[in-house]
Amino acid sequence: IASASDDGTIRLWEADTGQPLGEPLRGHEAWIWAVAFSPDGSRIVSGSSDKTIRLWDASTGQPLGEPLRGHEGRVMSVAFSLDGSKIVSGSDDKTIRLWDAAIGKHTSAYA
């Protein structure tokens, strides 16, 4: 289980015991509103008030690449596509964006 926090961290939890797994994931500069696992469980995506999206290695907790930038407002929702190749994000800038999860670039924006 992954949880997001207003302190800018993500915590991973053991589903069976409810115990935290390791140290919090740090990298966002503000409140994290959304977090999701990739379909295969290998990556985590997060969206924040710092207007960025971040990818994480779920087993190590390390960030994968640079933050994804493109929204002009806080990122309120994130999700992977069923095959894990795309990320969709929604922002209070009234847009949704579609990102290529492999290269970390947005491919489409919709208002």
Side-chain angles (χ1 to χ4, degrees):
I1 299 171
S3 63
S5 177
D6 64 352
D7 69 1
T9 65
I10 298 167
R11 275 214 166 267
L12 301 179
W13 305 86
E14 172 60 50
D16 293 333
T17 65
Q19 295 300 309
L21 295 172
E23 293 297 313
L25 284 61
R26 300 180 190 282
H28 282 291
E29 298 175 6
W31 188 306
I32 300 172
W33 289 93
V35 62
F37 279 95
S38 62
D40 67 3
S42 67
R43 294 172 293 163
I44 298 168
V45 63
S46 57
S48 171
S49 288
D50 65 11
K51 304 176 188 174
T52 68
I53 296 160
R54 288 188 173 262
L55 285 167
W56 309 85
D57 182 302
S59 62
T60 67
Q62 294 300 307
L64 298 172
E66 294 296 315
L68 308 181
R69 300 181 188 281
H71 283 294
E72 295 177 12
R74 59 188 165 168
V75 180
M76 303 292 291
S77 61
V78 292
F80 279 95
S81 61
L82 289 178
D83 66 2
S85 68
K86 302 277 190 239
I87 297 167
V88 65
S89 59
S91 171
D92 66 1
D93 67 7
K94 300 185 179 159
T95 66
I96 58 171
R97 292 185 181 269
L98 189 62
W99 307 80
D100 183 318
I103 61 171
K105 300 290 181 191
H106 73 273
T107 59
S108 304
Y110 306 93

XYZ file of all heavy atoms in Angstrom:
834
model
N 0.855 -1.173 0.000
C 0.000 0.000 0.000
C 0.897 1.231 0.000
O 1.925 1.260 0.670
C -0.916 0.010 1.249
C -1.820 -1.227 1.239
C -1.722 1.303 1.323
C -2.603 -1.417 2.522
N 0.491 2.250 -0.750
C 1.200 3.528 -0.757
C 0.238 4.615 -0.302
O -0.933 4.613 -0.684
C 1.725 3.845 -2.145
N 0.738 5.529 0.521
C -0.076 6.666 0.959
C 0.689 7.959 0.711
O 1.910 8.002 0.804
C -0.453 6.539 2.433
O 0.694 6.568 3.262
N -0.075 9.009 0.381
C 0.493 10.331 0.125
C 0.185 11.238 1.302
O -0.777 11.017 2.028
C -0.105 10.901 -1.151
N 1.000 12.289 1.468
C 0.851 13.132 2.644
C 1.008 14.612 2.322
O 1.629 14.991 1.330
C 1.904 12.721 3.679
O 1.845 13.545 4.813
N 0.490 15.421 3.233
C 0.657 16.867 3.110
C 2.063 17.322 3.470
O 2.415 18.471 3.266
C -0.392 17.613 3.929
C -0.284 17.377 5.423
O 0.510 16.516 5.859
O -1.011 18.048 6.177
N 2.898 16.416 3.994
C 4.283 16.786 4.295
C 5.212 16.531 3.111
O 6.427 16.662 3.237
C 4.794 16.081 5.551
C 4.970 14.577 5.381
O 4.726 14.037 4.287
O 5.357 13.928 6.377
N 4.652 16.176 1.939
C 5.449 15.972 0.734
C 6.123 14.623 0.646
O 7.040 14.444 -0.146
N 5.682 13.665 1.450
C 6.277 12.334 1.409
C 5.246 11.284 1.001
O 4.036 11.501 1.099
C 6.868 11.910 2.767
O 5.808 11.786 3.721
C 7.907 12.903 3.252
N 5.785 10.158 0.575
C 4.988 8.966 0.287
C 5.474 7.889 1.233
O 6.682 7.743 1.447
C 5.191 8.509 -1.169
C 4.718 9.589 -2.137
C 4.479 7.178 -1.428
C 5.170 9.367 -3.560
N 4.548 7.137 1.793
C 4.918 6.013 2.652
C 4.406 4.735 2.031
O 3.312 4.698 1.473
C 4.312 6.154 4.042
C 5.141 7.001 4.951
C 5.014 6.463 6.374
N 6.005 6.993 7.254
C 7.181 6.418 7.506
N 7.525 5.319 6.925
N 8.006 6.947 8.368
N 5.223 3.696 2.146
C 4.829 2.355 1.726
C 4.525 1.533 2.966
O 5.213 1.664 3.988
C 5.943 1.708 0.903
C 6.342 2.468 -0.355
C 7.466 1.748 -1.073
C 5.153 2.670 -1.280
N 3.502 0.679 2.868
C 3.000 -0.079 4.010
C 2.845 -1.548 3.641
O 2.444 -1.874 2.532
C 1.646 0.460 4.439
C 1.639 1.930 4.729
C 1.468 2.946 3.837
C 1.846 2.548 5.993
N 1.535 4.158 4.472
C 1.769 3.947 5.798
C 2.067 2.061 7.279
C 1.908 4.859 6.829
C 2.209 2.972 8.311
C 2.131 4.356 8.080
N 3.118 -2.403 4.602
C 2.873 -3.830 4.446
C 1.370 -4.062 4.588
O 0.783 -3.723 5.622
C 3.650 -4.620 5.512
C 3.327 -6.082 5.567
C 3.612 -6.809 4.264
O 4.719 -6.655 3.717
O 2.711 -7.525 3.811
N 0.753 -4.611 3.554
C -0.702 -4.777 3.561
C -1.176 -5.732 4.653
O -2.229 -5.515 5.262
C -1.185 -5.257 2.203
N -0.422 -6.784 4.932
C -0.860 -7.782 5.911
C -0.766 -7.291 7.354
O -1.608 -7.632 8.183
C -0.044 -9.068 5.775
C -0.321 -9.784 4.469
O -1.432 -9.628 3.924
O 0.572 -10.501 3.989
N 0.261 -6.491 7.651
C 0.490 -6.088 9.042
C 0.174 -4.624 9.316
O 0.047 -4.233 10.478
C 1.961 -6.326 9.429
O 2.788 -5.450 8.643
C 2.356 -7.783 9.223
N 0.110 -3.807 8.268
C -0.099 -2.380 8.464
C 1.148 -1.641 8.912
O 1.089 -0.460 9.251
N 2.287 -2.302 8.886
C 3.547 -1.689 9.311
C 4.195 -0.933 8.151
O 4.130 -1.371 7.003
C 4.505 -2.758 9.830
C 4.015 -3.453 11.083
C 3.820 -2.466 12.224
O 4.699 -1.684 12.545
N 2.638 -2.497 12.821
N 4.863 0.189 8.458
C 5.559 0.932 7.398
C 6.738 0.132 6.858
O 7.386 -0.626 7.585
C 6.018 2.210 8.088
C 5.968 1.930 9.544
C 4.980 0.837 9.757
N 7.009 0.310 5.568
C 8.147 -0.332 4.909
C 9.206 0.724 4.629
O 9.027 1.580 3.757
C 7.711 -0.977 3.588
C 6.737 -2.144 3.690
C 6.241 -2.548 2.307
C 7.403 -3.322 4.383
N 10.281 0.718 5.341
C 11.391 1.632 5.094
C 11.058 3.082 5.399
O 10.068 3.404 6.053
N 11.916 3.924 4.887
C 11.794 5.366 5.087
C 10.811 5.951 4.074
O 10.610 5.395 3.006
C 13.163 6.032 4.915
C 14.156 5.651 5.988
C 13.710 6.097 7.369
O 13.288 7.270 7.499
O 13.761 5.281 8.300
N 10.216 7.110 4.394
C 9.329 7.767 3.431
C 10.077 8.139 2.152
O 11.284 8.412 2.176
C 8.870 9.024 4.165
C 9.129 8.764 5.603
C 10.303 7.827 5.657
N 9.368 8.153 1.046
C 9.918 8.597 -0.235
C 9.833 10.110 -0.266
O 8.765 10.685 -0.020
C 9.122 8.006 -1.399
C 9.346 6.539 -1.745
C 9.009 5.605 -0.615
C 8.568 6.163 -2.975
N 10.970 10.746 -0.533
C 11.035 12.208 -0.512
C 11.499 12.732 -1.867
O 12.370 12.162 -2.486
C 12.008 12.678 0.562
C 11.617 12.240 1.955
C 12.608 12.735 3.010
N 12.375 12.134 4.295
C 11.418 12.494 5.130
N 10.612 13.478 4.810
N 11.274 11.875 6.287
N 10.905 13.840 -2.279
C 11.296 14.465 -3.533
C 10.372 15.599 -3.925
O 10.809 16.582 -4.501
N 9.086 15.463 -3.620
C 8.158 16.561 -3.889
C 8.416 17.697 -2.905
O 8.900 17.479 -1.798
C 6.705 16.086 -3.745
C 6.219 15.302 -4.914
N 6.001 15.860 -6.155
C 5.879 13.988 -5.029
C 5.554 14.930 -6.970
N 5.474 13.778 -6.313
N 8.056 18.896 -3.319
C 8.278 20.079 -2.491
C 7.008 20.575 -1.823
O 7.032 21.627 -1.175
C 8.882 21.183 -3.350
C 10.241 20.791 -3.916
C 10.799 21.830 -4.877
O 10.190 22.910 -5.019
O 11.832 21.535 -5.482
N 5.913 19.842 -1.975
C 4.644 20.273 -1.390
C 3.731 19.061 -1.217
O 4.118 17.928 -1.507
C 3.986 21.325 -2.286
N 2.534 19.315 -0.780
C 1.501 18.329 -0.523
C 1.382 17.371 -1.715
O 1.303 17.800 -2.857
C 0.185 19.068 -0.341
C -0.991 18.273 0.119
C -1.483 17.148 -0.459
C -1.837 18.566 1.213
N -2.599 16.718 0.215
C -2.840 17.583 1.252
C -1.858 19.569 2.163
C -3.843 17.568 2.202
C -2.857 19.550 3.111
C -3.833 18.563 3.127
N 1.346 16.088 -1.441
C 1.116 15.079 -2.476
C -0.356 14.692 -2.414
O -0.848 14.254 -1.384
C 2.014 13.846 -2.280
C 3.483 14.269 -2.329
C 1.719 12.794 -3.348
C 4.448 13.167 -1.946
N -1.046 14.864 -3.536
C -2.483 14.624 -3.596
C -2.838 13.230 -4.096
O -3.923 12.730 -3.801
C -3.135 15.653 -4.513
C -3.157 17.008 -3.912
C -2.226 18.000 -4.080
C -4.134 17.540 -3.025
N -2.564 19.106 -3.355
C -3.753 18.851 -2.697
C -5.307 17.027 -2.475
C -4.486 19.656 -1.851
C -6.050 17.835 -1.640
C -5.636 19.137 -1.329
N -1.973 12.636 -4.900
C -2.347 11.374 -5.545
C -1.132 10.474 -5.687
O -0.011 10.942 -5.903
C -2.941 11.658 -6.924
N -1.383 9.167 -5.567
C -0.331 8.177 -5.721
C -0.968 6.905 -6.283
O -2.116 6.589 -5.963
C 0.392 7.928 -4.374
C -0.525 7.370 -3.327
C 1.614 7.074 -4.547
N -0.234 6.206 -7.160
C -0.753 4.969 -7.752
C 0.395 4.046 -8.133
O 1.487 4.508 -8.485
C -1.584 5.286 -8.996
N 0.145 2.751 -8.053
C 1.104 1.741 -8.506
C 0.888 1.447 -9.985
O -0.248 1.498 -10.475
C 0.922 0.428 -7.737
C 1.566 0.410 -6.387
C 0.843 0.718 -5.254
C 2.908 0.073 -6.246
C 1.423 0.694 -3.999
C 3.504 0.050 -4.998
C 2.758 0.360 -3.868
N 1.974 1.087 -10.673
C 1.858 0.579 -12.039
C 1.177 -0.787 -11.983
O 1.193 -1.450 -10.932
C 3.239 0.472 -12.688
O 4.058 -0.442 -11.983
N 0.588 -1.243 -13.089
C -0.102 -2.532 -13.073
C 0.774 -3.702 -12.628
O 0.287 -4.618 -11.964
C -0.559 -2.713 -14.520
C -0.698 -1.322 -15.036
C 0.408 -0.546 -14.364
N 2.062 -3.673 -12.931
C 2.951 -4.770 -12.520
C 3.550 -4.554 -11.128
O 4.299 -5.392 -10.628
C 4.047 -5.006 -13.544
C 5.043 -3.858 -13.667
O 4.937 -2.854 -12.911
O 5.934 -3.962 -14.526
N 3.223 -3.425 -10.487
C 3.691 -3.142 -9.130
C 5.131 -2.687 -9.023
O 5.626 -2.474 -7.922
N 5.803 -2.453 -10.149
C 7.222 -2.105 -10.101
C 7.487 -0.608 -9.928
O 8.569 -0.214 -9.515
C 7.930 -2.587 -11.367
O 7.481 -1.867 -12.509
N 6.505 0.217 -10.273
C 6.680 1.670 -10.197
C 5.518 2.307 -9.461
O 4.429 1.751 -9.369
C 6.767 2.269 -11.602
C 7.996 1.824 -12.363
C 7.948 2.276 -13.808
N 6.864 1.559 -14.483
C 6.323 1.923 -15.647
N 6.747 3.002 -16.265
N 5.355 1.224 -16.181
N 5.781 3.495 -8.957
C 4.774 4.325 -8.304
C 4.794 5.671 -9.009
O 5.864 6.176 -9.367
C 5.092 4.506 -6.807
C 5.069 3.162 -6.093
C 4.135 5.493 -6.154
C 5.647 3.195 -4.686
N 3.631 6.256 -9.206
C 3.529 7.609 -9.742
C 2.840 8.469 -8.688
O 1.965 7.999 -7.966
C 2.778 7.648 -11.097
C 1.335 7.190 -10.951
C 2.843 9.027 -11.733
N 3.279 9.719 -8.572
C 2.690 10.633 -7.596
C 2.495 12.009 -8.220
O 3.225 12.407 -9.121
C 3.580 10.736 -6.352
O 4.889 11.144 -6.695
N 1.483 12.723 -7.718
C 1.192 14.080 -8.181
C 1.074 15.008 -6.988
O 0.551 14.630 -5.944
N 1.538 16.253 -7.157
C 1.708 17.139 -6.014
C 1.263 18.577 -6.288
O 1.121 19.000 -7.441
C 3.194 17.135 -5.639
O 3.509 18.105 -4.678
N 1.116 19.319 -5.190
C 0.870 20.763 -5.270
C 2.061 21.507 -5.863
O 1.923 22.675 -6.230
C 0.566 21.338 -3.882
O -0.698 20.951 -3.451
N 3.222 20.869 -5.936
C 4.379 21.524 -6.553
C 4.293 21.500 -8.083
O 5.235 21.874 -8.764
C 5.704 20.942 -6.048
C 5.933 19.489 -6.435
O 5.185 18.932 -7.271
O 6.873 18.878 -5.885
N 3.131 21.038 -8.617
C 2.820 21.028 -10.049
C 3.598 19.967 -10.816
O 3.697 20.016 -12.035
C 3.047 22.406 -10.683
C 2.279 23.523 -10.022
C 2.624 24.853 -10.647
C 2.001 25.978 -9.846
N 2.426 27.289 -10.343
N 4.192 19.008 -10.107
C 4.971 17.971 -10.770
C 4.371 16.591 -10.540
O 3.588 16.362 -9.613
C 6.433 17.936 -10.286
O 6.471 17.499 -8.924
C 7.117 19.282 -10.445
N 4.817 15.687 -11.397
C 4.530 14.262 -11.289
C 5.881 13.589 -11.141
O 6.849 13.972 -11.807
C 3.815 13.766 -12.555
C 2.461 14.465 -12.679
C 3.662 12.250 -12.554
C 1.899 14.421 -14.068
N 5.955 12.600 -10.269
C 7.203 11.869 -10.083
C 6.954 10.380 -10.231
O 5.904 9.875 -9.860
C 7.816 12.153 -8.716
C 8.391 13.547 -8.608
C 9.166 13.727 -7.307
N 9.836 14.990 -7.276
C 11.128 15.172 -7.582
N 11.876 14.169 -7.921
N 11.662 16.368 -7.515
N 7.968 9.716 -10.774
C 7.969 8.264 -10.865
C 8.981 7.719 -9.876
O 10.062 8.304 -9.693
C 8.347 7.813 -12.282
C 7.268 7.987 -13.340
C 7.872 7.806 -14.730
C 6.157 6.990 -13.118
N 8.639 6.578 -9.273
C 9.471 5.966 -8.243
C 9.624 4.481 -8.520
O 8.701 3.842 -9.030
C 8.815 6.115 -6.876
C 8.386 7.504 -6.543
C 7.210 8.109 -6.881
C 9.123 8.474 -5.809
N 7.169 9.391 -6.391
C 8.327 9.641 -5.724
C 10.379 8.466 -5.197
C 8.748 10.787 -5.066
C 10.792 9.607 -4.535
C 9.997 10.757 -4.471
N 10.777 3.925 -8.154
C 10.965 2.484 -8.161
C 10.305 1.947 -6.889
O 10.695 2.315 -5.782
C 12.459 2.151 -8.178
C 12.735 0.684 -8.245
O 12.273 -0.058 -7.346
O 13.420 0.249 -9.179
N 9.311 1.082 -7.042
C 8.545 0.618 -5.880
C 9.369 -0.253 -4.944
O 9.112 -0.285 -3.742
C 7.302 -0.142 -6.343
N 10.367 -0.955 -5.453
C 11.144 -1.836 -4.578
C 12.243 -1.102 -3.821
O 12.555 -1.455 -2.691
C 11.732 -3.008 -5.366
O 12.618 -2.543 -6.357
N 12.816 -0.044 -4.404
C 13.899 0.679 -3.737
C 13.456 2.012 -3.137
O 14.151 2.576 -2.295
C 15.053 0.969 -4.715
O 14.589 1.897 -5.716
C 15.568 -0.313 -5.355
N 12.341 2.557 -3.621
C 11.893 3.874 -3.170
C 12.652 5.019 -3.809
O 12.449 6.175 -3.448
N 13.501 4.716 -4.780
C 14.292 5.759 -5.433
C 13.510 6.409 -6.571
O 12.739 5.744 -7.262
C 15.594 5.167 -5.986
C 16.533 4.674 -4.905
C 16.931 5.789 -3.961
O 17.405 6.838 -4.379
N 16.720 5.572 -2.671
N 13.710 7.726 -6.775
C 13.047 8.383 -7.907
C 13.592 7.861 -9.226
O 14.768 7.500 -9.332
C 13.382 9.864 -7.716
C 14.468 9.926 -6.714
C 14.518 8.634 -5.978
N 12.724 7.827 -10.223
C 13.105 7.427 -11.577
C 13.086 8.664 -12.455
O 12.025 9.178 -12.805
C 12.133 6.374 -12.125
C 12.070 5.062 -11.361
C 10.933 4.191 -11.875
C 13.398 4.328 -11.479
N 14.248 9.180 -12.794
C 14.338 10.353 -13.651
C 13.949 11.641 -12.946
O 13.802 11.699 -11.726
N 13.786 12.648 -13.752
C 13.440 13.985 -13.270
C 11.926 14.115 -13.117
O 11.170 13.356 -13.735
C 13.948 15.037 -14.258
C 15.464 15.098 -14.356
C 16.105 15.523 -13.047
O 15.612 16.484 -12.424
O 17.087 14.873 -12.640
N 11.469 15.083 -12.329
C 10.024 15.316 -12.217
C 9.423 15.641 -13.584
O 10.073 16.271 -14.421
C 9.911 16.517 -11.288
C 11.213 16.609 -10.586
C 12.237 16.014 -11.503
N 8.193 15.203 -13.796
C 7.475 15.514 -15.029
C 6.764 16.841 -14.830
O 6.025 17.025 -13.866
C 6.478 14.406 -15.351
C 7.029 12.982 -15.369
C 5.935 11.988 -15.717
C 8.197 12.856 -16.312
N 7.008 17.767 -15.743
C 6.449 19.116 -15.622
C 5.577 19.419 -16.836
O 5.885 19.016 -17.941
C 7.557 20.148 -15.522
C 8.456 19.919 -14.317
C 9.556 20.974 -14.216
N 10.514 20.633 -13.189
C 10.337 20.821 -11.892
N 9.218 21.349 -11.466
N 11.264 20.476 -11.028
N 4.521 20.158 -16.607
C 3.628 20.551 -17.679
C 2.350 21.180 -17.159
O 1.777 22.042 -17.809
N 1.914 20.755 -15.990
C 0.719 21.352 -15.403
C 1.053 22.724 -14.819
O 2.164 22.961 -14.352
C 0.161 20.454 -14.296
C -0.588 19.276 -14.814
N -1.773 19.386 -15.507
C -0.332 17.949 -14.741
C -2.215 18.190 -15.827
N -1.356 17.289 -15.381
N 0.061 23.604 -14.839
C 0.223 24.934 -14.272
C -0.456 25.066 -12.915
O -0.450 26.136 -12.315
C -0.322 25.984 -15.246
C 0.480 26.019 -16.537
C -0.073 27.003 -17.542
O -0.935 27.828 -17.179
O 0.355 26.943 -18.698
N -1.030 23.986 -12.433
C -1.664 23.954 -11.124
C -1.303 22.658 -10.421
O -0.603 21.804 -10.985
N -1.794 22.496 -9.199
C -1.470 21.283 -8.452
C -2.027 20.055 -9.170
O -3.098 20.104 -9.769
C -1.952 21.372 -7.024
C -3.402 21.586 -6.872
C -3.781 21.863 -5.442
N -5.135 22.408 -5.497
C -5.913 22.580 -4.484
N -5.502 22.286 -3.268
N -7.115 23.073 -4.630
N -1.287 18.976 -9.105
C -1.694 17.725 -9.730
C -2.532 16.961 -8.714
O -2.050 16.571 -7.651
C -0.469 16.900 -10.182
C -0.911 15.604 -10.837
C 0.407 17.721 -11.133
N -3.803 16.755 -9.063
C -4.770 16.198 -8.120
C -5.036 14.699 -8.323
O -5.570 14.052 -7.441
C -6.090 16.959 -8.241
C -5.959 18.452 -8.010
S -5.554 18.873 -6.315
C -7.050 18.423 -5.499
N -4.692 14.162 -9.496
C -4.926 12.742 -9.738
C -3.887 12.209 -10.722
O -3.426 12.930 -11.609
C -6.341 12.503 -10.267
O -6.531 13.168 -11.495
N -3.522 10.945 -10.525
C -2.594 10.253 -11.415
C -3.014 8.787 -11.514
O -3.574 8.225 -10.571
C -1.123 10.324 -10.925
C -0.576 11.740 -11.021
C -0.984 9.787 -9.514
N -2.734 8.183 -12.662
C -3.003 6.752 -12.840
C -2.171 6.247 -14.010
O -1.824 7.004 -14.919
C -4.480 6.507 -13.117
N -1.836 4.968 -13.959
C -1.183 4.289 -15.081
C -2.243 3.688 -15.997
O -3.319 3.287 -15.526
C -0.300 3.139 -14.574
C 1.044 3.549 -14.070
C 1.249 3.788 -12.725
C 2.122 3.681 -14.941
C 2.492 4.140 -12.249
C 3.371 4.039 -14.466
C 3.562 4.265 -13.126
N -1.912 3.567 -17.282
C -2.751 2.798 -18.193
C -2.637 1.320 -17.829
O -1.733 0.922 -17.088
C -2.307 3.016 -19.642
O -0.966 2.575 -19.823
N -3.544 0.511 -18.334
C -3.555 -0.914 -17.993
C -2.261 -1.625 -18.368
O -1.845 -2.557 -17.690
C -4.741 -1.611 -18.655
C -6.102 -1.258 -18.067
C -7.207 -1.965 -18.836
C -6.170 -1.591 -16.594
N -1.611 -1.186 -19.444
C -0.353 -1.831 -19.839
C 0.878 -1.145 -19.240
O 2.007 -1.571 -19.468
C -0.228 -1.910 -21.360
C -0.110 -0.549 -22.034
O -0.088 0.499 -21.346
O -0.038 -0.526 -23.276
N 0.681 -0.083 -18.460
C 1.778 0.610 -17.782
C 2.595 1.525 -18.665
O 3.564 2.121 -18.199
N 2.208 1.688 -19.923
C 3.009 2.500 -20.842
C 2.684 3.991 -20.774
O 3.476 4.815 -21.218
C 2.831 2.014 -22.275
O 1.513 2.277 -22.735
N 1.546 4.339 -20.241
C 1.117 5.733 -20.171
C 0.725 6.086 -18.741
O 0.352 5.232 -17.945
C -0.099 5.959 -21.066
C 0.114 5.619 -22.515
C 0.762 6.743 -23.243
C 0.736 6.477 -24.731
N 2.042 6.442 -25.316
N 0.801 7.367 -18.460
C 0.315 7.935 -17.213
C -0.679 9.021 -17.592
O -0.438 9.797 -18.519
C 1.457 8.543 -16.379
C 2.445 7.464 -15.969
C 0.921 9.296 -15.174
C 3.754 8.008 -15.423
N -1.776 9.096 -16.887
C -2.715 10.192 -17.055
C -2.720 10.993 -15.756
O -2.601 10.428 -14.670
C -4.127 9.700 -17.433
C -4.750 8.889 -16.322
C -5.020 10.860 -17.829
N -2.781 12.312 -15.897
C -2.806 13.180 -14.719
C -3.886 14.232 -14.890
O -4.176 14.665 -16.004
C -1.442 13.852 -14.518
O -1.094 14.630 -15.652
N -4.467 14.627 -13.771
C -5.456 15.687 -13.752
C -5.018 16.772 -12.783
O -4.446 16.479 -11.736
N -5.292 18.008 -13.155
C -4.810 19.142 -12.372
C -5.928 20.150 -12.149
O -6.889 20.208 -12.922
C -3.660 19.811 -13.114
O -3.287 21.039 -12.517
N -5.755 20.975 -11.109
C -6.724 22.049 -10.928
C -6.470 23.204 -11.901
O -7.143 24.223 -11.838
C -6.826 22.505 -9.469
C -5.583 23.156 -8.917
O -4.578 23.300 -9.643
O -5.597 23.534 -7.734
N -5.535 23.030 -12.837
C -5.414 23.976 -13.946
C -6.450 23.670 -15.035
O -6.439 24.261 -16.091
C -3.987 24.006 -14.517
C -3.570 22.717 -15.216
O -4.395 21.808 -15.402
O -2.372 22.619 -15.579
N -7.341 22.708 -14.739
C -8.454 22.318 -15.607
C -7.994 21.586 -16.859
O -8.640 21.653 -17.899
C -9.336 23.516 -15.947
C -9.935 24.142 -14.714
C -10.893 25.240 -15.034
C -11.417 25.757 -13.706
N -11.941 27.049 -13.755
N -6.858 20.882 -16.753
C -6.402 20.042 -17.863
C -6.129 18.635 -17.360
O -5.878 18.424 -16.167
C -5.101 20.571 -18.513
O -4.025 20.481 -17.573
C -5.257 21.999 -19.000
N -6.192 17.700 -18.292
C -5.645 16.377 -18.062
C -4.532 16.196 -19.078
O -4.572 16.755 -20.167
C -6.710 15.254 -18.164
C -7.380 15.253 -19.533
C -7.725 15.365 -17.062
C -8.276 14.058 -19.758
N -3.524 15.447 -18.680
C -2.388 15.219 -19.569
C -2.104 13.734 -19.648
O -2.262 13.012 -18.667
C -1.149 15.971 -19.090
C -1.296 17.466 -19.203
C -0.015 18.197 -18.837
N -0.206 19.624 -18.947
C 0.041 20.332 -20.053
N 0.491 19.765 -21.129
N -0.162 21.643 -20.063
N -1.676 13.331 -20.823
C -1.277 11.961 -21.061
C 0.230 11.956 -21.260
O 0.756 12.732 -22.053
C -1.991 11.419 -22.301
C -1.863 9.942 -22.584
C -2.460 9.121 -21.449
C -2.557 9.611 -23.896
N 0.921 11.096 -20.515
C 2.381 11.049 -20.502
C 2.869 9.692 -20.979
O 2.249 8.673 -20.684
C 2.909 11.262 -19.082
C 2.407 12.478 -18.408
C 1.203 12.628 -17.792
C 3.075 13.728 -18.263
N 1.085 13.890 -17.264
C 2.221 14.590 -17.537
C 4.328 14.192 -18.656
C 2.575 15.884 -17.212
C 4.679 15.490 -18.331
C 3.811 16.323 -17.623
N 3.985 9.667 -21.666
C 4.661 8.419 -22.004
C 5.459 8.014 -20.771
O 6.406 8.704 -20.393
C 5.573 8.634 -23.208
C 6.254 7.379 -23.674
O 6.722 6.588 -22.824
O 6.356 7.183 -24.889
N 5.106 6.917 -20.140
C 5.746 6.510 -18.883
C 7.193 6.097 -19.073
O 7.979 6.145 -18.128
C 4.960 5.365 -18.240
N 7.585 5.710 -20.274
C 8.962 5.275 -20.513
C 9.919 6.459 -20.636
O 11.037 6.408 -20.132
C 9.038 4.418 -21.772
N 9.473 7.528 -21.285
C 10.380 8.654 -21.523
C 10.045 9.867 -20.677
O 10.790 10.854 -20.670
C 10.435 9.053 -23.011
C 9.046 9.506 -23.510
C 10.983 7.916 -23.853
C 9.062 10.109 -24.893
N 8.903 9.838 -19.986
C 8.560 10.939 -19.087
C 8.210 12.233 -19.765
O 8.458 13.301 -19.223
N 7.631 12.165 -20.932
C 7.203 13.374 -21.643
C 5.699 13.310 -21.871
O 5.155 12.243 -22.128
C 7.885 13.487 -23.009
C 9.392 13.556 -22.936
C 9.855 14.846 -22.362
C 11.382 14.886 -22.324
N 11.901 15.977 -21.563
N 5.036 14.487 -21.763
C 3.597 14.430 -22.028
C 3.377 14.407 -23.528
O 4.113 15.012 -24.306
C 2.810 15.534 -21.307
C 2.952 16.912 -21.835
N 3.941 17.768 -21.462
C 2.195 17.600 -22.718
C 3.816 18.912 -22.059
N 2.762 18.837 -22.831
N 2.397 13.617 -23.917
C 2.106 13.413 -25.322
C 0.853 14.156 -25.753
O 0.700 14.465 -26.923
C 1.946 11.914 -25.640
O 0.893 11.377 -24.843
C 3.237 11.161 -25.348
N -0.035 14.445 -24.798
C -1.288 15.127 -25.116
C -1.754 15.904 -23.905
O -1.498 15.522 -22.774
C -2.380 14.111 -25.493
O -1.972 13.306 -26.553
N -2.480 16.997 -24.181
C -3.104 17.772 -23.116
C -4.517 18.087 -23.549
O -4.773 18.355 -24.723
C -2.330 19.060 -22.857
N -5.442 18.035 -22.597
C -6.845 18.270 -22.891
C -7.407 19.238 -21.862
O -7.167 19.079 -20.673
C -7.634 16.954 -22.829
C -7.035 15.876 -23.708
C -6.114 14.963 -23.180
C -7.364 15.797 -25.042
C -5.552 13.988 -23.987
C -6.812 14.822 -25.862
C -5.904 13.926 -25.311
O -5.332 12.966 -26.107
N -8.108 20.224 -22.351
C -8.737 21.211 -21.453
C -10.209 20.944 -21.346
O -10.807 20.365 -22.180
C -8.489 22.609 -21.964
